[in-house]
Every structure is written in structure tokens, then in C-alpha cells.
Amino acid sequence: MTELRRAPVDSTVPLTEDELAAARERIERISAAFSTRVVGQHRVRTALLVTLLAEGHVLLESVPGLAKTLASSTLAQAVDARFARIQCTPDLLPSDIIGTQVYDPRRHEFETQLGPVHANFVLLDEINRASAKTQSALLEAMQERQTSIAGTVHPLPDPFMVLATQNPIEEEGTYVLPHAQMDRFLLKEVVDYPTEDDELMVLERIDDGTLGQHMAEVSAVASTADVVQLQGIVRRVYVDPAIRRYVVALVRATRHATELLGPELGGYVEIGASPRGSIAFFQAARAMAVVQGRHYVIPEDVRELRHSVLRHRIHLSFEALADRVRPETVIDAVFRAVPTP
């Protein structure tokens, strides 16, 4: 598969109705292909689409068995992209992910073998089981979209998206992700159990062969070139100055939670969101607008994404853990306190 060369996008050029309609049609096709394999999980589908269109990475947290891997591979198949799955373990080395140099005795020279991170969609299963050294090897790939092997820089394919999962209930043999790495994820989505109807639908699809060990692959309904084009459209979505000030006010409020929410609730916040939180809202809200079929961002786009953008960027104190105060509680209080434009 040939690598794409991304053309520069002039964000000042407004979107036309034809461009927006074409983008909406592509997104609906991708969403429909996703739903043929993944039952329910509408928030996960939205989070993956928004992350893909906003050129970010997503962290999925849930107990095992809630179709996180299936969702990731299905999205990759729907856009005809290269997919790689990496099962993280404590003995996983950085070279197992980014690649290494191997000596070729026939030619008496070293050759570079690129690792599985050199794919369009990279699933890091149970990322919190990888050691800190291995996790650090991912920072360059996630932020710079490149890897360095023996002093040589290797660009990653375009588009590139990391989908990481972690299990919150098993702590033995796990390593807490550092705050700097958590901040690299555009969104963190907590995957919940399916409804009763959705779980019954899963059994029906296993019975008719749609799901299960022998299920067929999803037919591609778009291409990686289409994804790159959609990402360019997202960068041209209009964001009013009032929305920009609203986003900045929300993120800054997490840094002064005690003043805004009072010592009882605000005192639980040790560290607020960094400017990456503002950037994440800015990028994700644009993508959400396109998913909703609009060429402009509205405050509801920001509110819809509030938990996914901020839950992993707000660091709560030990007292919050002892009192069972969740980040979502603080986030909702911040949104109630900051005036909506």
C-alpha cells in the first residue's frame, strides 16, 4: 500500500454544502459498516469516529469482553486500512513495537525491520501491562508520528491512530500510565455493558454467522485517502470566538476548581487539565460537528465530549478516591459553573 502525501489545508476556506454532504455520506457508510459487526456501543462508535477525524488517539477502558478489539479492527476494515494488534505484557520490549535492526549474514549488513506500530490503526491491548520503558517508546510515535531506529527516522503511515485499551479491575502486573502519556490521548472512553436487547442481538448474530470465530471481514466502504480528505474537512470547520473562549474558560476552571466549586468538591482536584485539554476540545468538537452534519461548532458539541476529553486530564486526590468521587462528577460541576455562550 502506497503512503499518502498529505496536502496542506487552508482552514480559512469555508466548507460548501456539497463538501459537507459528501463528508456526511462517507461517515454514514463507515458508521453503518461498523454497526454490522459491533452491536450497540454508540458512544464507542462516536468516540472512534471523532478521534479518527480529529487525527488523535483514543484510550478505551472497560472490563474484558466488551468488543473493544472487535470495534478497532472493524473500523480499520471499513476504511481499508492496515491494522496491527499488540498484546502488551510486562516483558514487551520497545523494539517489539517500533522495530529493530537485524543482521543479514548473506549480505553482511544490518537491515531494518519495522515493528507493528507502522500501521494505520494500532491496537495496544491492555497498555497498562507494558512497562514504563515500553510505554515511553510510544510517545514519539503518538506525538511525532514517527519512530527512530538506530538513528534513522521512519515516518508512520498516514492516517495513523492508536487505540489503547486498559482493564480497570486487575492491578496485578500492571503499570500506571504516566500523566504525560495519558495527555497524548485525545479521548478516553469508558465502555459500559450492553443493554439486554443488545446482548440478545449479539447471540442472534453469532447464530447467523455475522459474529463468531468464522465471521467474514467487513467490506471496505471507504479508503485511507477518504479518511485524509475527511480530516482536511474537519480542519476547515468554523469555530466562533465565543466557543473558543468557552473552551479555554472550561479548561482553566479545572485548574482553579477550589475557587469555582468551593473547597468541598473543588478540593478534590490536585491537577487540572493542561492546554492540551483546550486543544483536544477544539479538535474533537470540530470532528463532532462534521459527524453531526454541520460546518460549524456549537456548545453542545463541547458538552457532548466533556467526559471523554477531561476524565483522564484531571488528577484527583487520594481523598477523592476514598470518598468515591469520580472525575465525571467534578467535570459536570465545572460545566454547570461556567456560563454557556
Side-chain angles (χ1 to χ4, degrees):
M1 185 180 297
T2 58
E3 303 298 340
L4 297 171
R5 291 187 177 273
R6 187 182 292 268
V9 174
D10 187 353
S11 60
T12 62
V13 177
L15 288 171
T16 65
E17 291 299 328
D18 290 341
E19 288 177 315
L20 194 61
R24 180 64 177 167
E25 192 269 335
R26 287 195 190 101
I27 292 172
E28 287 178 350
R29 279 190 284 136
I30 296 172
S31 180
F34 182 89
S35 298
T36 60
R37 289 269 292 272
V38 181
V39 180
Q41 302 295 5
H42 303 297
R43 288 193 299 108
V44 174
R45 180 183 61 193
T46 300
L48 293 182
L49 285 173
V50 167
T51 303
L52 177 62
L53 298 183
E55 305 174 53
H57 311 291
V58 63
L59 178 63
L60 304 175
E61 180 178 282
S62 78
V63 298
L66 296 187
K68 299 184 295 296
T69 301
L70 179 64
S72 305
S73 61
T74 300
L75 182 61
Q77 291 172 18
V79 298
D80 196 23
R82 282 178 287 174
F83 175 78
R85 179 180 179 271
I86 303 172
Q87 180 63 52
C88 296
T89 58
D91 59 348
L92 191 71
L93 298 176
S95 58
D96 297 328
I97 294 177
I98 66 173
T100 187
Q101 283 196 319
V102 178
Y103 182 73
D104 186 350
R106 293 172 297 178
R107 295 186 296 174
H108 303 288
E109 61 182 24
F110 285 91
E111 62 177 18
T112 301
Q113 291 187 355
L114 299 179
V117 78
H118 289 266
N120 298 111
F121 288 76
V122 179
L123 174 64
L124 295 170
D125 218 352
E126 294 190 289
I127 186 175
N128 54 334
R129 291 196 180 278
S131 66
K133 185 175 183 180
T134 301
Q135 290 179 16
S136 66
L138 298 169
L139 289 177
E140 182 184 17
M142 294 175 64
Q143 188 68 26
E144 306 298 334
R145 310 293 173 118
Q146 65 182 31
T147 60
S148 300
I149 303 174
T152 302
V153 173
H154 300 273
L156 293 171
D158 191 12
F160 173 72
M161 176 177 169
V162 169
L163 308 96
T165 73
Q166 65 177 11
N167 182 353
I169 63 173
E170 294 179 353
E171 297 184 356
E172 184 177 354
T174 63
Y175 303 84
V176 177
L177 269 66
H179 194 70
Q181 184 169 1
M182 291 285 285
D183 219 16
R184 259 67 174 190
F185 289 101
L186 181 77
L187 304 179
K188 177 185 176 182
E189 189 63 43
V190 176
V191 186
D192 204 354
Y193 286 108
T195 64
E196 182 179 359
D197 290 340
D198 288 340
E199 200 158 353
L200 286 171
M201 179 63 70
V202 170
L203 299 184
E204 291 177 10
R205 292 193 179 184
I206 289 177
D207 197 33
D208 64 22
T210 306
L211 294 177
Q213 294 182 348
H214 304 291
M215 61 184 175
E217 290 190 355
V218 172
S219 300
V221 295
S223 66
T224 51
D226 292 328
V227 172
V228 171
Q229 187 175 16
L230 287 171
Q231 291 173 343
I233 287 175
V234 166
R235 294 199 295 274
R236 292 166 54 197
V237 169
Y238 175 72
V239 184
D240 191 83
I243 301 291
R244 301 182 188 216
R245 287 192 294 269
Y246 179 52
V247 164
V248 171
L250 288 168
V251 174
R252 289 181 62 84
T254 65
R255 306 171 202 160
H256 307 282
T258 303
E259 302 172 13
L260 187 69
L261 307 179
E264 183 176 354
L265 183 58
Y268 287 125
V269 181
E270 283 192 345
I271 302 175
S274 74
R276 281 201 186 98
S278 301
I279 296 171
F281 267 128
F282 186 69
Q283 295 173 331
R286 278 177 156 176
M288 177 65 82
V290 174
V291 171
Q292 298 294 335
R294 282 181 276 101
H295 59 81
Y296 56 89
V297 173
I298 59 177
E300 283 70 20
D301 295 327
V302 179
R303 294 184 62 86
E304 182 72 19
L305 295 163
R306 65 190 186 280
H307 294 158
S308 301
V309 169
L310 290 178
R311 61 163 52 104
H312 59 299
R313 292 186 164 92
I314 296 178
H315 185 73
L316 301 185
S317 63
F318 176 78
E319 288 76 13
L321 180 64
D323 294 342
R324 301 194 178 191
V325 175
R326 297 173 56 83
E328 292 81 0
T329 303
V330 177
I331 294 168
D332 289 341
V334 167
F335 270 73
R336 287 193 298 268
V338 175
T340 304

